Amino acid sequence: MKREYQDASGSAAGGSDLGSSKDKMMVAPAGEQDEEVDELLAALGYKVRSSDMADVAQKLEQLEMAMGMGGVPAADDGFVSHLAADTVHYNPSDLSSWVESMLSELNAPPPPLPPAPAPPAPQLVSTSSTVTGGGSGAGYFDPPPAVDSSSSTYALKPIPSPVAAPADPSADSAREPKRMRTGGGSTSSSSSSSSSMGGGGARSAVVEAAPPASAAANAPAVPVVVVDTQEAGIRLVHALLACAEAVQQENFSAAEALVKQIPMLASSQGRAMRKVAAYFGEALARRVYRFRPAPDSSLLDAAFADLLHAHFYESCPYLKFAHFTANQAILEAFAGCRRVHVVDFGIKQGMQWPALLQALALRPGGPPSFRLTGVGPPQPDETDALQQVGWKLAQFAHTIRVDFQYRGLVAATLADLEQFMLQPEGEENDEEPEVIAVNSVFEMHRLLAQPGALEKVLGTVRAVRPKIVTVVEQEANHNSGSFLDRFTQSLHYYSTMFDSLEGGGSGQSDASPGAAAGTDQVMSEVYLGRQICNVVACEGAERTERHETLVQWRNRLGRAGFEPVHLGSNAYKQASTLLALFAGGDGYRVEEKDGCLTLGWHTRPLIATSAWRLAAA
C-alpha cells in the first residue's frame, strides 16, 4: 500500500533537510531488510545502508541545488509550495541509487519526446487536490475508496475524453527552468466536486480523468455520473404516480412525457422494483397511446393463462397456501359424510385435489364416495382439457382406493352456470344425498366486471345448498372508481408481490434443476405482469382483475345470504408449518383475521382464505 506524505505548509526559502525531502515522496512499506540498513529510515519506508548515510545526504543536497531549490527567491515561494504539495514520486527501494539516477538525468540534455503511448485505463480520483505526475508514464492516481456493498450509490465509469489542465502562460514561462521533465513524462490534473442530494444524503460528483500527454488539448471532459438509487427510486415512484394522475385528468401530453422517463429511472433500481416499474410503465403506455391488450376471454389467452398459473404454483407458496387452507376447511365440513361432492369454479390442472383425496383416504372408517365437478374455459384447439384432468385424477384416486367420479363443465364465465348443472345426486331416491362444497380460488373477482354476474352466481350456489363455500382472493382493493387510487393500491401490492418472488426463492428442492426454478420465476412474473396490465390499461368489461379486500367480500357474501365459518387454529398451525418448509419462508407471514387466514410478505397481507355457509333463517 502506498502512503503519501505532503508538506502542508510548503517549503521555506533555502535548503531542506532529509525530512523535508522525504515529505515530498510517496513511500511504500519497507521490504526485506538486512542488518546494515539504517533502522530509523527503514521504519519510515526508506532502504539506506548506514555506511551510505553521508554519501546520500551529499547527493540529496546536490539534487536540490540542481532543481533550483537551494536558493529559491522569496518571490517564488508559491512554486515551492506547489512542488511540496502536489509533486508525487515513487519511493525507490534503494534511495542512494535513485538519487544518483536523478542527478544523471538532470545533468543530461532533455531527450526527444517518444511517440504517445496508448492511453491508460482511467481511474477516479477520490481527493480534490491536483496531482502532477512525475517520472515516466501518465499521471498517477490515488485508487478510489472501496465500495461498500450496503451502499446504494454506484459510480459509472465511462472512458473519459482527453482534457488539458488549465495553465497560466506567464507562470509556465517563469517556472520552466525549475521544472524537471523526463522522457515520457506528462502532467495531469483532476478535480471533483460533491454536493449533497436530498433523502439519503448521497454524494453526486463530476470527475475529470487525466489524459495522456498526446491527448487533444481542447477536447471536453466527460463527466462521471454518480447515481443514488434511493434518490432515483423516489423519482421513479413520483413519475409513476404523476403519470397516473395525468391519465386520470386526461392530460395525455403530460402523461406521454412522464411515461418516457420511467425506463431511464427504473434502470438504476434493483431487480424487483425494476421489473415492477417496467410492467406498470408498459401498462401506462398502453393507456396513453390507447393500445389495449387482448381481452382475457380469448381462447388462446385462456390456455396461456393456465400455463402461467401452473408456473406460479411452483414458484411461490401462495397457491399452495390457498389450496391447503381451503382443503382443510372442506375436510372438516365432510367429517362423517359418506357421499361428498366438490364444485371447483376454476379447476385448471386439478392440482388442488390429490391432497384432499389422500386425506379422505386416510380418514377413520374409510373414504367417502367422492364426486368432483370442474369448471373451465373452452380450449383453443377444441381439445377436452377438462376431461384429461379428470382422467389423471381418476387414476390417482384408483391407486389410493377412493370411489371417484368426475364431470367437466366448459363455461366462458361462471355466470353461464345454472342450478341443474350443480344439483346433488341421491335426492330422488332413498340414497343418502351428497354433501356439497363449492370452491373458488382467484375466480370471484372476475365476476365484478359484469353487472349482476356475482349476484347470479351466488344465487345459484345458494340454491344447491352447499355445506361450505371456500373463497380465496387477493387481499387488495383494485376495484376503486378512481384510476389514481386503483393505480396507487396496485403499485404497492405488486411491488410487495415481486419482492416476495425475489426473496422467497422458488420453493423447489435442491435436487431440482436450477433452470426449471428460473423458468418458474420468470413465468410467474409474466403471470403477475398480465394482472398489472389489466388493472391499469383496461376499463369496462375488459378489466377483469377487480380484486377486493376481505372486508368487502364479507359484505358482499353477507348480503347474498352467507355467514362466515371460522377456519380454526388447526389450519393456522398447519399452514405455518407448510411455510416453514418452503424456501425463504422466513419472509412469509400467516395471520388469523376474524376467523379467516391471510398470507403475506413480511407485514403486508397478500391473499386471504375465507369459508362460508348458508346463514340461518
Side-chain angles (χ1 to χ4, degrees):
M1 178 181 296
K2 298 177 182 177
R3 296 174 295 179
E4 182 177 357
Y5 294 88
Q6 297 182 350
D7 187 357
S9 59
S11 298
S16 61
D17 56 8
L18 183 60
S20 63
S21 299
K22 167 179 62 64
D23 288 342
K24 302 186 183 80
M25 301 181 182
M26 183 174 294
V27 301
E32 297 181 358
Q33 304 178 13
D34 50 38
E35 296 180 356
E36 297 181 358
V37 175
D38 184 86
E39 296 180 356
L40 294 178
L41 292 178
L44 296 176
Y46 294 99
K47 183 179 181 181
V48 182
R49 293 182 177 86
S50 301
S51 58
D52 296 336
M53 286 292 295
D55 184 49
V56 169
Q58 182 181 3
K59 290 179 180 179
L60 283 174
E61 184 176 359
Q62 296 174 3
L63 176 61
E64 289 181 351
M65 295 297 296
M67 294 178 64
M69 298 177 60
V72 180
D76 207 13
D77 283 349
F79 179 56
V80 177
S81 300
H82 166 74
L83 289 178
D86 298 334
T87 303
V88 178
H89 301 290
Y90 280 122
N91 175 50
S93 59
D94 189 339
L95 186 61
S96 178
S97 300
W98 179 80
V99 174
E100 185 174 356
S101 64
M102 291 289 291
L103 285 172
S104 62
E105 289 180 3
L106 285 173
N107 295 329
L113 292 177
Q123 300 182 19
L124 295 182
V125 182
S126 60
T127 66
S128 59
S129 60
T130 302
V131 181
T132 302
S136 61
Y140 305 107
F141 297 103
D142 294 337
V147 178
D148 185 3
S149 61
S150 63
S151 173
S152 60
T153 303
Y154 304 92
L156 306 179
K157 302 180 181 179
I159 299 177
S161 300
V163 59
D168 185 356
S170 61
D172 287 345
S173 61
R175 295 173 184 174
E176 189 63 31
K178 301 180 180 65
R179 288 187 181 273
M180 175 182 63
R181 296 189 61 178
T182 60
S186 63
T187 60
S188 62
S189 65
S190 67
S191 62
S192 65
S193 62
S194 299
S195 62
S196 177
M197 300 177 66
R203 297 179 300 165
S204 80
V206 178
V207 181
E208 294 180 1
S214 61
N218 298 324
V222 175
V224 178
V225 181
V226 179
V227 180
D228 184 347
T229 57
Q230 183 178 3
E231 173 84 5
I234 295 174
R235 293 177 58 195
L236 173 61
V237 174
H238 287 177
L240 288 168
L241 296 178
C243 184
E245 185 175 6
V247 168
Q248 179 172 276
Q249 298 173 355
E250 297 185 354
N251 186 357
F252 292 106
S253 59
E256 181 179 4
L258 288 166
V259 81
K260 292 177 180 179
Q261 299 179 15
I262 294 174
M264 178 185 64
L265 295 173
S267 62
S268 64
Q269 300 304 297
R271 293 181 59 186
M273 187 59 193
R274 183 173 67 249
K275 294 173 184 177
V276 171
Y279 281 116
F280 274 94
E282 177 189 354
L284 285 171
R286 288 179 177 272
R287 184 102 181 193
V288 169
Y289 298 110
R290 297 173 177 82
F291 181 66
R292 302 293 174 83
D296 291 343
S297 58
S298 64
L299 299 183
L300 184 60
D301 185 271
F304 185 55
D306 287 349
L307 175 64
L308 296 178
H309 183 274
H311 286 287
F312 185 69
Y313 177 89
E314 295 294 339
S315 65
C316 55
Y318 296 109
L319 283 174
K320 296 180 177 69
F321 170 84
H323 293 170
F324 176 83
T325 51
N327 285 349
Q328 184 66 28
I330 294 172
L331 182 63
E332 294 176 0
F334 284 169
C337 300
R338 302 305 306 169
R339 302 184 64 201
V340 297
H341 179 197
V342 175
V343 179
D344 188 358
F345 279 169
I347 188 145
K348 301 295 190 297
Q349 290 82 21
M351 295 178 290
Q352 179 174 350
W353 306 118
L356 180 61
L357 287 171
Q358 191 168 18
L360 291 173
L362 299 175
R363 194 175 68 173
S369 174
F370 188 91
R371 185 158 73 99
L372 176 63
T373 298
V375 182
Q379 299 299 308
D381 53 0
E382 298 183 357
T383 58
D384 195 350
L386 294 179
Q387 196 63 28
Q388 295 176 7
V389 172
W391 277 111
K392 294 179 181 179
L393 291 174
Q395 293 175 355
F396 178 77
H398 177 73
T399 60
I400 59 176
R401 302 179 183 276
V402 174
D403 182 17
F404 180 81
Q405 299 179 40
Y406 176 82
R407 180 174 61 172
L409 294 178
V410 178
T413 174
L414 294 178
D416 295 337
L417 297 178
E418 300 294 341
Q419 177 181 348
F420 71 90
M421 301 177 183
L422 311 179
Q423 197 67 34
E425 295 180 352
E427 292 184 344
E428 299 178 356
N429 49 42
D430 296 335
E431 295 182 3
E432 179 182 352
E434 292 178 335
V435 176
I436 295 182
V438 177
N439 180 74
S440 172
V441 177
F442 300 153
E443 297 292 338
M444 287 284 193
H445 66 265
R446 298 177 179 273
L447 297 170
L448 300 176
Q450 309 171 38
L454 178 63
E455 290 74 13
K456 180 182 182 297
V457 171
L458 292 179
T460 302
V461 172
R462 189 173 60 250
V464 299
R465 303 190 64 80
K467 189 170 184 180
I468 193 169
V469 178
T470 53
V471 178
V472 182
E473 287 292 338
Q474 289 88 346
E475 181 61 10
N477 182 14
H478 301 157
N479 196 30
S480 173
S482 169
F483 173 76
L484 182 58
D485 292 343
R486 186 167 74 242
F487 182 89
T488 304
Q489 291 285 338
S490 59
L491 179 61
H492 293 165
Y493 178 85
Y494 285 106
S495 296
T496 307
M497 185 67 78
F498 272 76
D499 283 340
S500 70
L501 286 180
E502 293 287 342
S506 65
Q508 298 184 357
S509 63
D510 296 337
S512 63
T519 301
D520 287 333
Q521 179 168 336
V522 170
M523 298 297 279
S524 298
E525 293 166 356
V526 176
Y527 173 82
L528 296 175
R530 287 161 59 90
Q531 295 181 11
I532 294 173
C533 191
N534 187 269
V535 170
V536 176
C538 297
E539 283 296 347
E542 295 178 352
R543 182 164 61 86
T544 58
E545 298 295 340
R546 296 175 176 258
H547 311 141
E548 292 191 345
T549 63
L550 185 59
V551 174
Q552 293 171 297
W553 284 112
R554 187 185 301 275
N555 294 333
R556 291 185 180 276
L557 290 166
R559 291 195 302 266
F562 295 90
E563 63 181 12
V565 175
H566 199 283
L567 291 179
S569 59
N570 187 35
Y572 173 83
K573 294 178 181 178
Q574 294 188 19
S576 301
T577 303
L578 173 69
L579 291 179
L581 300 176
F582 198 87
D586 292 341
Y588 297 104
R589 294 290 183 271
V590 179
E591 295 182 358
E592 186 176 0
K593 182 179 180 181
D594 298 330
C596 307
L597 294 180
T598 64
L599 173 61
W601 181 249
H602 295 295
T603 59
R604 172 68 186 261
L606 295 174
I607 66 171
T609 302
S610 58
W612 306 86
R613 63 189 174 198
L614 293 177

